Amino acid sequence: MSTIKDKDLAAFMEAVIARNPGEPEFHQAVQEVAMDIVPYIKDNKRMQEMRILERMTEPDRIVSFRVVWQDDAGKIQVNRGYRVQQNNAIGPYKGGIRFHPTVTQSVLKFLAFEQVFKNSLTGLPLGGGKGGADFDPKGKSDAEIMRFCQAFMTELSKYIGQFTDVPAGDIGVGGREVGYMFGQFKRLKDTFEGVLTGKGIEFGGSRIRPEATGYGVVYMMEAMLDRIGEKLDGKVCLVSGSGNVAQFCAEKLLDLGAKVVSMSDSSGTVYKEDGLSRDDLQWIMDLKNERGGRLSEAEKGIGAKFYKGNRPWALPGELAFPCATQNEIEEADARALVKTGCRGISEGANMPSTPEAIDIIREAGIMHAPSKAANAGGVAVSGLEMSQNSLRMSWSREEVDEHLKKIILNIHTQCVDKGGCDHDVNRIDYFKGANIAGFDKVANAMLAYGAV
Ligand SMILES: NC(=O)C1=CN([C@@H]2O[C@H](COP(=O)(O)OP(=O)(O)OC[C@H]3O[C@@H](n4cnc5c(N)ncnc54)[C@H](O)[C@@H]3O)[C@@H](O)[C@H]2O)C=CC1
Ligand SMILES: O=C(O)CCC(=O)C(=O)O
């Protein structure tokens, strides 16, 4: 991690690392927040005495459980499932479920910690949590996915509920998996309640939830550009990833007249200098959502260049939208973005930039919206799904999209209000703004509750 100059911050991080050994992703997420919050609360005696930041870095609880399921060959498979219930000061725990072989307690703790600040920024009554399993959905049949989801929910159902903890999707968990898990919860509990979001429209899902994260990432970039008197129209955009967030980020960029020149997966990056067409994007969506294929097929499929094993960041572009996974912009990638003249970054993936990359991007004066602000559209529409479930109502696409835009604009305003730079009045530090604004609401609620 990057070197810490502030003595209080160094002491704080030393204690966090000692209490949470072997959890580098969690340390990184905490440091990204503590860099701004430790100085912010330096003169606030009450926050210090009540040890608010220390309490926020300790999850309320973590459950970890065995998930046993049978594969198509009849073999018994064993995975490990988790739910990290980080903080419910301002609402029920809320956050996605990730199925990916790289899932560990450290990864889920970083995601749950981030989620607390993100959910606070939405202005909705949502606490923070995250869950998942080290299950690899790649290459599994539909029946295997169903059996795994049912086995996972059989255990998870003991810890969640519409007023307690409301999970949703994340990497490896989309509408199909949410459907299987919701069905299993309903069967086990015999209640029909909004215990998950990202549900199908037929059983209580919200319109625009599948699109919300990607759309929100673009609305955030629009707001940042608008502040400096510019538009998205005609801008050359680098998108990474090709899953849910990347697909709808690319779709909204095309809607707004931008040129999307790249998308990627773990096998490499596709590049089209003249920009992907709607048909190209549809081809990528079908490849990923229907055929489970690799982007290397795009050379033949849509006549794009394919750079095996590469990320998109060294390609020429004006704006960047990392929408794949954590730490996908490392130091060298950040240098490449600076070199090619990138002017703005809106983070779709959670914590896609390493601390070293953030320092380089900040130094270069590139506008940089952190994930907790930029990708909050997904959980925001999940919050709206919860509202619709409580009201026994279903809103139109237009209504939900309007709420989503307002929420993202409000997050942008909060970042601007709290993210001023002492050394340059025209610059906004969106990381600082998001950290402080997200922290304030949760911290004040915790203060109101006393020492609990
Ligand atoms: N789905 C949602 O509503 C939200 C997702 N996010 C974040 O967005 C990111 C993408 O999630 P989804 O699109 O939902 O997942 P998905 O399951 O639909 O797609 C997976 C994505 O992850 C990428 N990926 C995973 N491991 C990779 C690796 N090692 N190298 C390169 N790419 C890799 C894939 O290319 C693909 O773009 C994650 O960081 C997730 O936490 C954040 C907020 C909400
Ligand atoms: O919609 C949700 O509750 C999950 C969103 C999520 O996991 C995230 O924001 O990273």
Side-chain angles (χ1 to χ4, degrees):
M1 278 201 277
S2 58
T3 33
I4 302 174
K5 292 183 197 101
D6 183 290
K7 261 174 43 195
D8 292 338
L9 176 61
F12 176 81
M13 282 311 303
E14 213 172 286
V16 169
I17 292 166
R19 277 176 80 76
N20 303 276
E23 298 189 336
E25 295 87 359
F26 180 62
H27 305 159
Q28 183 184 333
V30 172
Q31 183 172 313
E32 194 180 298
V33 167
M35 303 250 303
D36 295 315
I37 302 303
V38 168
Y40 177 64
I41 59 173
K42 210 160 231 170
D43 300 321
N44 189 325
K45 248 182 103 182
R46 185 135 167 80
M47 293 268 187
Q48 302 280 354
E49 277 168 11
M50 296 302 279
R51 304 195 65 193
I52 295 296
L53 188 57
E54 288 84 350
R55 283 157 61 186
M56 283 172 78
T57 58
E58 192 66 34
D60 289 355
R61 72 189 61 77
I62 301 174
V63 288
S64 145
F65 45 90
R66 186 175 65 233
V67 186
V68 181
W69 58 285
Q70 203 168 15
D71 67 19
D72 287 347
K75 262 181 78 183
I76 296 296
Q77 301 286 345
V78 184
N79 286 95
R80 184 173 296 166
Y82 304 86
R83 186 73 182 164
V84 180
Q85 297 183 329
Q86 185 74 24
N87 188 303
N88 67 353
I90 61 168
Y93 305 108
K94 182 85 195 89
I97 290 178
R98 178 176 291 192
F99 292 161
H100 197 269
T102 57
V103 162
T104 59
Q105 181 167 292
S106 170
V107 167
L108 295 179
K109 277 173 73 177
F110 113 64
L111 290 162
F113 181 74
E114 286 261 304
Q115 199 80 46
V116 173
F117 296 83
K118 182 191 310 190
N119 294 5
S120 164
L121 285 168
T122 65
L124 301 172
L126 304 169
K130 199 89 184 192
D134 59 355
F135 168 74
D136 189 356
K138 223 178 260 171
K140 302 290 187 298
S141 71
D142 190 55
E144 288 176 322
I145 298 280
M146 182 181 76
R147 288 196 292 275
F148 180 80
C149 288
Q150 290 175 341
F152 181 83
M153 181 50 87
T154 299
E155 192 59 30
L156 184 69
S157 63
K158 297 170 188 167
Y159 311 103
I160 61 174
Q162 61 173 328
F163 300 118
T164 323
D165 185 350
V166 184
D170 189 74
I171 292 181
V173 177
R176 173 181 62 164
E177 291 75 16
V178 168
Y180 289 145
M181 287 193 273
F182 186 77
Q184 181 71 349
F185 183 89
K186 193 169 68 60
R187 173 159 72 173
L188 291 168
K189 301 278 180 174
D190 215 7
T191 70
F192 193 104
E193 59 177 271
V195 65
L196 291 169
T197 60
K199 301 185 289 298
I201 292 290
E202 304 78 8
F203 50 97
S206 175
R207 294 196 167 76
I208 306 270
R209 177 61 189 90
E211 297 90 338
T213 309
Y215 282 12
V217 171
V218 178
Y219 294 153
M220 177 57 75
M221 180 61 86
E222 235 190 340
M224 291 199 294
L225 288 171
D226 189 55
R227 200 188 75 83
I228 58 164
E230 291 193 33
K231 295 247 167 298
L232 261 170
D233 191 28
K235 292 270 191 310
V236 179
C237 300
L238 302 172
V239 174
S240 70
S242 46
N244 170 269
V245 179
Q247 290 175 15
F248 289 108
C249 171
E251 179 177 284
K252 184 52 73 177
L253 286 171
L254 293 183
D255 287 349
L256 296 174
K259 197 157 104 174
V260 179
V261 294
S262 75
M263 290 182 82
S264 68
D265 64 15
S266 48
S267 72
T269 291
V270 287
Y271 178 63
K272 255 198 163 176
E273 194 181 347
D274 294 337
L276 297 171
S277 66
R278 295 248 168 214
D279 286 348
D280 294 339
L281 178 59
Q282 192 54 54
W283 186 90
I284 290 174
M285 286 180 168
D286 290 344
L287 176 82
K288 289 293 167 183
N289 306 344
E290 311 300 332
R291 307 201 296 277
R294 311 300 291 153
L295 280 180
S296 47
E297 296 172 39
E299 263 180 336
K300 272 205 189 126
I302 55 173
K305 279 193 181 139
F306 180 72
Y307 296 107
K308 193 171 169 220
N310 284 10
R311 295 167 176 165
W313 313 127
L315 295 166
E318 298 167 278
L319 304 174
F321 298 86
C323 295
T325 194
Q326 63 265 16
N327 293 330
E328 56 166 313
I329 302 185
E330 296 180 282
E331 196 173 339
D333 303 308
R335 289 194 199 289
L337 284 167
V338 174
K339 195 168 160 202
T340 51
C342 174
R343 306 194 32 237
I345 303 172
S346 183
E347 295 185 343
N350 282 309
M351 202 172 74
S353 316
T354 64
E356 296 78 11
I358 295 170
D359 286 347
I360 291 164
I361 292 163
R362 188 179 274 130
E363 183 81 6
I366 296 173
M367 295 185 297
H368 190 183
S371 48
K372 56 176 80 73
N375 74 23
V379 75
V381 173
S382 278
L384 301 179
E385 183 170 325
M386 290 162 72
S387 306
Q388 292 168 79
N389 292 168
S390 299
L391 291 165
R392 306 286 188 259
M393 292 269 289
S394 180
W395 298 336
S396 68
R397 264 186 90 84
E398 292 71 27
E399 277 173 293
V400 179
D401 198 28
E402 195 161 312
H403 277 297
L404 169 62
K405 272 187 200 148
K406 274 195 194 140
I407 290 170
I408 297 291
L409 280 181
N410 181 260
I411 294 176
H412 180 263
T413 304
Q414 294 178 66
C415 292
V416 172
D417 286 350
K418 304 278 184 187
C421 293
D422 297 337
H423 61 282
D424 183 350
V425 286
N426 294 316
R427 279 253 293 263
I428 298 299
D429 182 339
Y430 284 91
F431 277 68
K432 177 178 153 197
N435 285 335
I436 294 177
F439 172 81
D440 266 346
K441 187 172 163 192
V442 179
N444 289 331
M446 289 173 76
L447 283 178
Y449 302 144
V452 290

